[in-house]
Amino acid sequence: MDKQTKLGLYQIMVLSRTFEEAILRDYHADKTPNWDIGAGLIPGEMHLSAGQEPVAAGICAHLTSDDAITATHRPHHLAIAHGVDLNKLAAEIFGRETGFGRGRGGHMHIFDPATHFSCSGIIAEGFPPALGQAFAFQRQNKKAVAVAVTGEGAANQGAFHESLNLASLWKLPIVFVVEDNDWAISVPRHSSTAISSNAQRALGYGIPGTRVEDNSVEEVWAQAKVAIERARSGGGPSLIEVHTVRLLGHFEGDAQAYRDDLEGLNGRDPIPLYAAQLTQEGILDAELIGKIASDAKGRVERAFDFAKASPMPSADNVSQYVFA
Amino acid sequence: MTLTNKVVSPIATRKLTTAKAMVEGIAQEMERDPSVFMMGEDVGSYGGIFSSSTGLLERFGPDRVLDTPISETAFMGLATGAAVEGMRPIVELMFVDFFGVCMDQIYNHMGKIHYESGGNVKVPLVLLTAVGGGYSDGAQHSQCLWGTFAHLPGLKVVVPSNPTDAKGLMISSIRDDNPVIFMFHKGVMGLPWMAKNPRSLGPVPEEEYETPIGKASIARPGNDVTIVTLSLSVHHALDAAEEVAKDGIDCEVIDLRSLVPLDRTAILESVARTGRLLVVDEDYRSFGLSGEIAAIVGETDPTLLKAPLIRVTMPDTPIPYARTLEYAALPTRDRILAAIRQITH
């Protein structure tokens, strides 16, 4: 793995985190004194992906904008790593007419046809549409692949199992990714799932499965390379599970009283860990870390300024876009 | 060519069953547009349990006519994803009663993506499904449920009653850029293994034609009573209308042909003339189509009605198995006759 690739992974992780730090700032800025989830410039539920950036960076490094990726209710890191337009992403989160969904979707419902990015707020239900994207690519003789991402809690849903079976049966060009962040809201994995690795479940459907244990962006990158090349060359689907970390609550406002792993959580933050590794390898130094951070900050603030300056959708058009 | 009402082209002397007319429409679209494909349970060599795909596998091959596993969530979602990427899937849900195992893909994904994307993503597909009872298939294989689908935003709902409309509506549905739920009643298909009404066989033009979605048809013009109905019940209503015509009662039968969009104008124009409204619906009584039509009249001009409207529907009861019970629940010709007598009394 070359130096440029490593730097690229780090930059994407920093960009994603910087974007979510800006959300955190603006989301909480105007919900006081009585915290009201529906109030403020960014209203509604907010599911942040901080800690899970290695999954997005490692997978999306192998994709182009011709490839499809389907995310979950926690989609920002994947959207950013896949290269969606940051202005439109920010504008949709602020519910503006200039957003990806013209303010109709919100942060759990981001659709970008230019990069074939989509997400679903329903657990595991993003998998079946991803099958269809892979099916279309196969029928259209394109070399594109679909990547379907979900969490470990979703792997107990019927849609997950049905999708693995059909993808294997029809040899679809798709890669399934499970982000195991230990928590399905408040339910720990050991209380929800009968086996320790979803890679075993993949094997049960006749497709290769692997589990990355340490949230290592380089290991995700390496496994994704194999899986995506396999899909692209007609070899059919694979599954990659990544044991990652959810640094924040399920949603903003989640007090996380249920959580028994908060101690030492910051020590599991993959971004400083990767920065330390790359510094030790002589790829990063303090100056470059600062430059990457300020570049990311600049891009994010420009996107947020664009969003905040954009018009709200007109109430007159509430029923526009129900039908084509 | 566009058929805007029940008038059939004079050259359409050839008669087909509804099933064959539908399949002809699908085949002509598959011939014309390589992005159209069909999938579902037993749509391949079986040809569809209700003959909705007979001969398509032989003609178009297994790449375009696909038998799926019994895995509705996976293949409904697959249809949505393929449509998003520019294909035009026709996906069959064998019985509409099975929607419970895949409804998330239908109402949360298929029906909402266009809106959530601010109009940037289109989902052009046809969800083909069999509805209706009358042959003792019990509570889980006999429902109509069109009101359930019509209630949820983002889905067009098409319900043909005869071969001519079935072909034209099928072609329109495939060409439509929205998800279209195409609901065919088993009792109008003209199946050789099920009791059928004589109008299951009808004249069908050989060429391609579209029947517009959202325009009702006047199945029988009349001036005394407006009967608003759809699907198999159109035929029961026509039979009842013929019977009361002997007594000088002149019924107008409106075949809605689609619930979404609903042809409000056709309903209101007719009721304004007749002043008497009978709604015949094989779907459940409460919170559905019959109440919606009553609301449309009530919201527009309640003084249009000279007599209280009457609803002849399924009761809010699971559909029973025993023939005596099932036929007590179904909106039969005799129940419609009694309602006409009551409303004109």
Side-chain angles (χ1 to χ4, degrees):
Chain A
M1 193 171 177
D2 62 35
K3 179 183 157 184
Q4 257 338 96
T5 303
K6 292 183 179 208
L7 263 181
L9 295 175
Y10 178 73
Q11 282 170 318
I12 284 292
M13 287 165 57
V14 170
L15 180 63
S16 178
R17 180 66 60 85
T18 306
F19 190 91
E20 291 206 328
E21 284 169 348
I23 292 179
L24 268 175
R25 176 195 67 206
D26 286 356
Y27 183 80
H28 289 288
D30 49 5
K31 287 185 174 58
T32 51
N34 298 314
W35 203 82
D36 171 3
I37 194 168
L41 278 179
I42 306 177
E45 275 192 89
M46 179 52 63
H47 312 84
L48 297 176
S49 61
Q52 300 180 192
E53 295 92 346
V55 183
I59 300 283
C60 294
H62 304 286
L63 302 179
T64 76
S65 59
D66 291 334
D67 297 316
I69 185 161
T70 298
T72 66
H73 58 290
R74 199 181 299 289
H76 304 147
H77 56 322
L78 294 157
I80 291 166
H82 193 50
V84 307
D85 184 292
L86 289 187
N87 286 4
K88 291 182 178 178
L89 179 63
E92 189 59 29
I93 291 168
F94 279 83
R96 304 303 168 113
E97 185 66 29
T98 53
F100 275 123
R102 296 185 165 99
R104 273 80 172 166
H107 105 108
M108 285 188 275
H109 311 291
I110 303 286
F111 295 88
D112 177 24
T115 63
H116 304 264
F117 180 85
S118 62
C119 47
S120 168
I122 308 294
I123 298 304
E125 297 286 342
F127 270 30
L131 297 176
Q133 293 178 295
F135 178 90
F137 297 153
Q138 187 187 60
R139 287 300 190 274
Q140 294 160 349
N141 293 315
K142 292 180 178 167
K143 283 292 174 194
V145 302
V147 175
V149 183
T150 197
E152 90 288 347
N156 299 314
Q157 271 282 24
F160 173 90
H161 294 271
E162 289 191 26
S163 298
L164 263 58
N165 180 63
L166 194 53
S168 179
L169 185 70
W170 289 357
K171 265 191 170 314
L172 296 176
I174 188 166
V175 176
F176 299 109
V177 177
V178 179
E179 295 180 293
D180 175 7
N181 65 15
D182 293 322
W183 296 98
I185 306 187
S186 66
V187 177
R189 181 188 178 117
H190 62 76
S191 298
S192 71
T193 307
I195 59 172
S196 59
S197 168
N198 280 303
Q200 293 174 41
R201 286 174 161 168
L203 299 179
Y205 293 104
I207 67 178
T210 186
R211 180 171 161 96
V212 176
E213 208 40 77
D214 57 1
N215 206 22
S216 155
V217 66
E218 294 190 5
E219 187 58 19
V220 175
W221 183 91
Q223 295 296 339
K225 184 172 193 292
V226 174
I228 290 167
E229 278 175 6
R230 174 182 155 88
R232 215 183 281 293
S233 62
S238 316
L239 181 142
I240 302 168
E241 180 166 61
V242 183
H243 187 200
T244 184
V245 63
R246 196 186 84 196
L247 292 176
L248 300 169
H250 165 67
F251 61 103
E252 284 309 297
D254 174 3
Q256 301 198 83
Y258 53 83
R259 207 158 162 179
D260 57 10
D261 63 345
L262 290 174
E263 200 179 331
L265 191 62
N266 288 340
R268 293 171 65 194
D269 185 337
I271 293 181
L273 287 172
Y274 197 45
Q277 180 197 322
L278 295 188
T279 302
Q280 198 171 23
E281 291 175 15
I283 295 170
L284 275 182
D285 57 27
E287 189 186 340
L288 191 49
I289 289 173
K291 183 179 181 318
I292 289 169
S294 78
D295 286 352
K297 183 92 178 146
R299 286 186 64 189
V300 167
E301 293 307 333
R302 281 194 295 279
F304 274 55
D305 288 346
F306 169 83
K308 291 178 201 172
S310 293
M312 297 293 289
S314 164
D316 295 341
N317 299 330
V318 60
S319 292
Q320 197 177 3
Y321 309 119
V322 177
F323 289 107
Chain B
M1 164 181 183
T2 297
L3 294 186
T4 52
N5 53 44
K6 77 180 280 282
V7 177
V8 171
S9 159
I11 57 163
T13 51
R14 178 196 60 153
K15 289 189 171 183
L16 291 182
T17 62
T18 303
K20 285 182 177 161
M22 259 171 55
V23 174
E24 186 170 271
I26 294 171
Q28 286 174 343
E29 285 301 284
M30 288 184 74
E31 199 68 61
R32 188 185 65 79
D33 181 351
S35 70
V36 179
F37 69 98
M38 184 162 187
M39 67 177 161
E41 292 155 4
D42 305 292
V43 302
S45 58
Y46 194 107
I49 296 299
F50 302 106
S51 302
S52 57
S53 61
T54 307
L56 294 177
L57 174 67
E58 293 75 5
R59 186 159 164 195
F60 296 101
D63 274 356
R64 294 184 70 195
V65 181
L66 296 97
D67 273 327
T68 61
I70 302 171
S71 194
E72 286 88 351
T73 285
F75 70 76
M76 282 298 155
L78 193 152
T80 296
V84 163
E85 295 298 340
M87 300 192 78
R88 289 188 174 268
I90 302 166
V91 57
E92 182 163 285
L93 179 64
M94 187 189 292
F95 288 76
V96 74
D97 314 70
F98 301 169
F99 84 96
V101 298
C102 58
M103 196 56 173
D104 185 71
Q105 285 302 322
I106 298 169
Y107 89 112
N108 263 334
H109 292 82
M110 199 180 278
K112 289 180 183 166
I113 288 175
H114 184 69
Y115 186 79
E116 289 173 326
S117 72
N120 290 317
V121 178
K122 291 191 175 80
V123 187
L125 64 81
V126 180
L127 193 167
L128 189 58
T129 189
V131 302
Y135 60 103
S136 286
D137 220 1
Q140 297 176 345
H141 293 74
S142 302
Q143 300 167 96
C144 288
L145 298 177
W146 40 61
T148 302
F149 289 83
H151 182 67
L152 299 162
L155 306 167
K156 290 192 176 180
V157 179
V158 167
V159 190
S161 69
N162 62 63
T164 320
D165 287 349
K167 179 175 170 183
L169 286 168
M170 175 55 74
I171 290 175
S172 297
S173 299
I174 295 169
R175 294 179 185 178
D176 199 287
D177 277 341
N178 296 285
V180 179
I181 314 296
F182 190 104
M183 309 179 99
F184 61 84
H185 198 296
K186 295 152 229 167
V188 306
M189 290 292 269
L191 303 173
W193 47 281
M194 192 177 284
K196 51 189 169 288
N197 74 75
R199 301 183 200 89
S200 311
L201 187 69
V204 178
E206 290 188 33
E207 67 270 29
E208 298 167 22
Y209 59 92
E210 292 183 46
T211 302
I213 299 173
K215 183 129 183 65
S217 130
I218 308 299
R220 183 187 200 283
N223 290 309
D224 296 333
V225 179
T226 298
I227 305 178
V228 177
T229 186
L230 73 173
S231 191
L232 180 64
S233 297
V234 170
H235 306 291
H236 300 325
L238 288 171
D239 292 345
E242 279 170 26
E243 182 66 28
V244 297
K246 296 172 192 163
D247 303 329
I249 300 172
D250 187 19
C251 293
E252 177 147 299
V253 178
I254 297 182
D255 178 356
L256 289 173
R257 300 199 290 197
S258 66
L259 273 72
V260 183
L262 184 64
D263 190 346
R264 290 155 196 264
T265 309
I267 297 166
L268 290 167
E269 277 179 1
S270 180
V271 172
R273 259 187 297 110
T274 65
R276 290 184 173 82
L277 173 61
L278 195 62
V279 184
V280 183
D281 184 10
E282 197 184 315
D283 201 354
Y284 300 119
R285 182 176 186 83
S286 302
F287 312 104
L289 175 66
S290 59
E292 183 62 30
I293 289 168
I296 287 168
V297 175
E299 285 172 343
T300 308
D301 183 0
T303 67
L304 292 178
L305 296 179
K306 296 181 211 161
L309 66 90
I310 297 179
R311 297 192 274 166
V312 180
T313 68
M314 271 284 174
D316 298 322
T317 303
I319 298 170
Y321 164 67
R323 192 168 179 82
T324 48
L325 295 176
E326 186 181 18
Y327 275 79
L330 286 166
T332 55
R333 171 183 167 278
D334 287 351
R335 284 180 66 200
I336 299 167
L337 272 177
I340 297 171
R341 304 276 186 216
Q342 186 187 332
I343 207 167
T344 54
H345 182 65

